[in-house]
Amino acid sequence: MKPVPALAALAIALSGCTSDTAAYPSLAPRAVEKLGFAEPEVAVVEAKPDTALDARVAASGEKLDALAKEFAADAARAQAAGGRARGKPVGSDAWLDAQTALAQLDDWRAQTSSLLTDVDQAASERAAALLPAYPTLTALRERVAAESQRQGETIDRLQAALPAA
């Protein structure tokens, strides 16, 4: 008859599990779970006119135009110098002239890259101030990036035409 005291002890122990001393969270869906997974509507905010930024964009656009013009002129000279260097040995005067012309093109590309950095900085400053994107600044950035890429491709093409050192 030893099993009866064990069953009594088990019954007493289990009765402690039924007390309402602890509050448990509800298993019902919470308010946030009823919202769903759809993306919230985003209001489009238009940028307010900024005369100071418009002046900076205009000045940067003029600088880009000047850089593109100078690059194109020097690219024509570099292409002519590269044509004179074809078939010439590395280190010859014609080869050195072509390399010098390519170095000038690298300088123009560096200036264009610097302008791109300045435009990106202006866009970053607007974003940091929680201002919406400025359309003319965005358009300028696209122009500068395209010009920088075009200059890089031109330099690569001209460099590939020369004998490697």
Side-chain angles (χ1 to χ4, degrees):
M1 286 268 169
K2 292 189 180 186
V4 175
L7 285 176
L10 182 62
I12 293 171
L14 288 177
S15 67
C17 293
T18 62
S19 68
D20 276 341
T21 58
Y24 295 100
S26 168
L27 295 179
R30 289 172 263 164
V32 72
E33 293 171 336
K34 294 179 184 178
L35 292 178
F37 296 103
E39 289 291 324
E41 291 294 321
V42 177
V44 176
V45 178
E46 297 216 9
K48 294 178 184 171
D50 184 343
T51 55
L53 183 57
D54 285 336
R56 282 177 61 191
V57 167
S60 294
E62 291 171 4
K63 184 175 181 179
L64 174 64
D65 293 340
L67 289 171
K69 182 180 176 185
E70 293 295 329
F71 180 89
D74 281 348
R77 286 191 276 280
Q79 186 163 359
R84 290 189 298 273
R86 278 198 192 91
K88 306 286 184 192
V90 172
S92 66
D93 286 341
W95 184 84
L96 290 172
D97 289 342
Q99 291 297 327
T100 302
L102 282 173
Q104 180 59 46
L105 293 181
D106 272 333
D107 181 53
W108 292 121
R109 179 174 55 175
Q111 291 181 49
T112 304
S113 179
S114 176
L115 181 61
L116 181 58
T117 301
D118 293 344
V119 171
D120 282 342
Q121 180 64 34
S124 294
E125 289 169 359
R126 285 190 61 81
L130 300 178
L131 296 172
Y134 204 69
T136 55
L137 184 62
T138 302
L140 176 64
R141 192 214 180 277
E142 291 171 1
R143 281 184 53 215
V144 175
E147 178 63 22
S148 181
Q149 182 175 352
R150 187 187 67 77
Q151 289 177 359
E153 290 169 354
T154 300
I155 291 169
D156 291 344
R157 180 179 46 81
L158 294 173
Q159 183 69 46
L162 293 174

